[in-house]
Amino acid sequence: VSSQERRVTAAALAGAAILLALTLPALPPLRQLRQAPATPFDRSLARHLAPAFALIEAARPVLPPAARVTVTSEPLNPILDNTTHRLGVALLPGRDVIPAALMGASRPELAAQAEYVVVVGRPPATPPGELLLACPEGTVWRRKLP
Amino acid sequence: VRPGALFVLAFALLPVCGAPLLAHPAFGRYGLLCRTVLSAGAGAVVLSLLMTLGALSGAAWGIPWLVVAAMAVSLLLRVCLGQEADGRDAPEQRPATARRLGNAVSAACVAASLHATLTAAATSADLLLFWGPKAQAFAAARTIDAAYMRAPFHTYLHADYPPLVTNLFAFAAMLAGRFPWGAATLTFPLAMASLAAGLPGLLGAGRPRQAAAAVSCLAVASACLMGITFNVAGNGDGILLFFEACAAALLASPDASRPSRLLLAGLFLAGAASAKVEGLAFVLAAVALFAIVDRRARQPRAAALLLLPTGVCLSAWFAFGARNRIFGFYEGYGPLLRLHRESLGLILRTLAGELFAVAWGLPFLLPIALLLVAPKAARNGWIPLFTAASLAVFFVFTYLHSNYLLVEWIHWSAGRIYTPVAVLLALGAMPANASNTSVPNETASPMREPGGE
């Protein structure tokens, strides 16, 4: 084994050990492994999506196939609604998910086409219809369309 | 059996798909573990191509016929390779302490990536925003669902993104019976484990095996640290990195110009190009550099082995897009040369801030320091380094195409897309020649290049 090989081997191992040592503090405590996270986003950089994920997952059983659904937020946040629409598309397969916002701008005329409303956050001041589900992350409503 | 377990189990079918090719004696030097990983990579590329061709021709996907057809294609590739034997590395004279240490550190890094994934600390938002929804819809439709991608309000799904990741996810979801979101994130530790298992064999073939284990371990440590920090679990970045790192290791090896290596490298390059858009930039840079440093790569047959798999995979994809009028080519960020040159300073400053925020830039600085410790002698060894440099420049070029929310764009993407740069730099630190290896025992091959080994 040449001295160059030895130097590279030692330096690479030392470098890898340093990177591993720097990785460990970024990890959640080991005890967190004992309890499965409620959503895949609980401790990620996108943890702000965890409540919407949990609510939409919980809403699925009360939303019939092919239902027209919109996902919005309370208080109204068009930027968040942009993303919650995409969460709805992902987590509600078989339903027609209509955006409550596009490109960060509210689109009430589109959202009004939905029979079912999933509201992330606190319950709306004016109930949009019949309450189907209430949980800490939000509420699900069915409204009568004209 | 739970859908999540079935989803992960589906990835165990990938080595089966590629096994007929990797069982060829030409790959005997790599060892069982490395060959299993290489079989998975080759099998994934062939499987994804068949799924795209199935979508193009209107044949509904089914797990049994896809697996059998992928095995048949792998067998055909094996037959095309003809007779090519492989020399065995001489047994090591010294105790492989460094190798054991390297494997242990790699295993610890993979365990860290698994821990971060299981505790929901590494999940990519992109899983939920487009990778997952597309795969879920395709699995339900048993094809690449063009109508789903054309639907109103689905424009954000990046219909033009190449198909390998969504195809593999859809394949696994078909076996699982539904798309399990949590299990999909496990593709990140799976990709890291595949790198940890495959790289030492690839780097160590004909080169110092202790150094190969150490350099592999540095590459895996970089990938895990950056993957956890920038949350890549469930998106395409881990899979892209797997293909890029293996392709670069193959092209940098001393016997890279053998037909078997060229074919395998070609398949892994196709995997990179079919995983993410930037994979095509990697392919073009790697092949161009390989042609510069190795004159045998300029032979038409060698170029075909390297580039044909990428050409076939991307042609099938663009044909699907054109036929269904979803896209013609990568939509990109506007005309190629319409650049916001005034943003260059801002881009470089923001990039530096982002990349040096991770462990003070050590994933990039440590491999560079390693190069100073051991200057390179073999020309092939420069391929990962120059490919890394080419990718780094390509990403800056890409950022120059937009000045809308530029800082935010760099913030959410730079760490992920620059991870392969760090890994390629680490691979470039591999010493050139083994002092304890035999010369490959190559016999006549119908694909052998004149002037070859």
Side-chain angles (χ1 to χ4, degrees):
Chain A
V1 180
S2 72
S3 62
Q4 190 205 36
E5 285 172 32
R6 266 200 294 269
R7 279 204 309 272
V8 170
T9 304
L13 280 175
I18 290 169
L19 294 182
L20 174 62
L22 292 168
T23 304
L24 297 179
L27 298 175
L30 270 176
R31 65 174 179 277
Q32 304 275 14
L33 277 173
R34 278 190 230 131
Q35 190 177 7
T39 81
F41 295 96
D42 284 8
R43 296 178 192 90
S44 73
L45 297 173
R47 61 178 70 93
H48 62 285
L49 298 179
F53 186 102
L55 174 64
I56 298 168
E57 283 268 274
R60 192 160 46 210
V62 301
L63 300 170
R68 293 176 76 95
V69 184
T70 193
V71 186
T72 186
S73 52
E74 186 65 35
L76 193 64
N77 179 347
I79 293 172
L80 179 62
D81 285 358
N82 213 40
T83 308
T84 54
H85 162 64
R86 300 175 185 192
L87 263 61
V89 171
L91 299 172
L92 299 171
R95 282 77 167 181
D96 186 7
V97 183
I98 300 167
L102 283 175
M103 305 292 285
S106 280
R107 298 294 297 271
E109 80 285 4
L110 291 176
Q113 298 171 19
E115 184 181 3
Y116 294 86
V117 187
V118 178
V119 183
V120 181
R122 64 186 187 218
T126 310
E130 176 195 356
L131 180 66
L132 299 179
L133 177 76
C135 57
E137 292 84 10
T139 50
V140 182
W141 306 81
R142 181 180 186 183
R143 62 188 174 194
K144 286 192 175 138
L145 293 179
Chain B
V1 184
R2 295 172 65 179
L6 286 172
F7 185 91
V8 175
L9 200 64
F11 285 84
L13 290 174
L14 299 180
V16 177
C17 295
L21 173 62
L22 269 294
H24 193 292
F27 302 109
R29 172 176 281 192
Y30 289 134
L32 184 62
L33 190 58
C34 181
R35 280 166 101 174
T36 305
V37 168
L38 296 175
S39 295
V45 174
V46 173
L47 185 79
S48 170
L49 172 63
L50 290 170
M51 292 174 83
T52 307
L53 290 174
L56 188 60
S57 64
W61 295 341
I63 289 172
W65 82 255
L66 281 171
V67 172
V68 171
M71 290 178 73
V73 172
S74 296
L75 188 62
L76 190 67
L77 291 172
R78 178 199 165 118
V79 171
C80 289
L81 265 184
Q83 299 295 313
E84 185 187 317
D86 200 7
R88 296 275 173 180
D89 290 341
E92 285 177 306
Q93 302 296 314
R94 303 161 72 88
T97 313
R99 216 161 62 159
R100 287 196 202 110
L101 260 175
N103 291 343
V105 175
S106 286
C109 292
V110 173
S113 71
L114 181 64
H115 175 63
T117 304
L118 288 174
T119 50
T123 307
S124 166
D126 289 349
L127 167 67
L128 210 65
L129 298 183
F130 54 91
W131 295 111
K134 285 201 289 187
Q136 178 175 249
F138 299 170
R142 294 289 196 265
T143 188
I144 299 172
D145 191 344
Y148 181 81
M149 292 201 281
R150 267 200 305 261
F153 316 126
H154 285 186
T155 49
Y156 65 89
L157 286 172
H158 299 295
D160 61 326
Y161 273 23
L164 183 135
V165 176
T166 43
N167 281 353
L168 294 183
F169 281 13
F171 175 78
M174 286 195 302
L175 188 69
R178 68 174 177 86
F179 191 85
W181 296 93
T185 61
L186 291 171
T187 49
F188 166 51
L190 197 59
M192 295 303 102
S194 302
L195 275 183
L199 280 180
L202 280 176
L203 292 176
R207 290 191 287 182
R209 277 178 276 170
Q210 302 226 29
V215 167
S216 301
C217 151
L218 178 62
V220 170
S222 277
C224 289
L225 171 60
M226 295 188 74
I228 292 168
T229 306
F230 294 107
N231 285 191
V232 302
N235 69 17
D237 290 294
I239 294 171
L240 172 71
L241 178 63
F242 166 69
F243 283 112
E244 288 182 337
C246 291
L250 279 162
L251 291 177
S253 67
D255 58 356
S257 57
R258 296 175 65 188
S260 58
R261 292 349 182 222
L262 290 171
L263 174 62
L264 197 57
L267 286 170
F268 276 79
L269 290 170
S274 304
K276 286 191 77 192
V277 175
E278 62 262 38
L280 181 57
F282 168 81
V283 172
L284 296 176
V287 173
L289 291 163
F290 187 59
I292 289 169
V293 302
D294 193 329
R295 64 179 174 79
R296 287 168 295 191
R298 294 171 217 159
Q299 305 272 356
R301 199 174 290 176
L305 284 170
L306 273 182
L307 287 172
L308 209 55
T310 298
V312 170
C313 288
L314 290 188
S315 298
W317 179 236
F318 291 129
F320 177 84
R323 183 174 173 173
N324 291 282
R325 295 183 184 162
I326 311 174
F327 55 85
F329 192 66
Y330 294 138
E331 288 168 0
Y333 302 94
L336 190 68
L337 295 177
R338 186 179 294 167
L339 305 176
H340 297 272
R341 290 187 179 84
E342 73 281 0
S343 303
L344 182 61
L346 176 64
I347 290 169
L348 295 178
R349 280 195 306 277
T350 313
L351 269 180
E354 287 296 323
L355 300 181
F356 280 80
V358 188
W360 308 287
L362 286 177
F364 300 93
L365 296 178
L366 284 172
I368 292 170
L370 211 56
L371 285 169
L372 300 177
V373 169
K376 304 217 67 62
R379 299 181 77 193
N380 274 27
W382 288 102
I383 291 173
L385 298 175
F386 282 119
T387 310
S390 305
L391 275 185
V393 172
F394 171 76
F395 293 139
V396 172
F397 177 73
T398 304
Y399 285 133
L400 279 169
H401 282 78
S402 174
N403 58 3
Y404 174 70
L405 294 177
L406 183 58
V407 172
E408 289 79 0
W409 183 22
I410 295 172
H411 177 66
W412 82 63
S413 64
R416 290 184 291 111
I417 64 176
Y418 273 86
T419 300
V421 174
V423 171
L424 290 169
L425 286 174
L427 298 183
M430 182 65 201
N433 299 313
S435 51
N436 61 343
T437 54
S438 65
V439 177
N441 175 24
E442 199 176 344
T443 56
S445 160
M447 287 180 159
R448 190 175 174 190
E449 298 300 331
E453 291 167 355

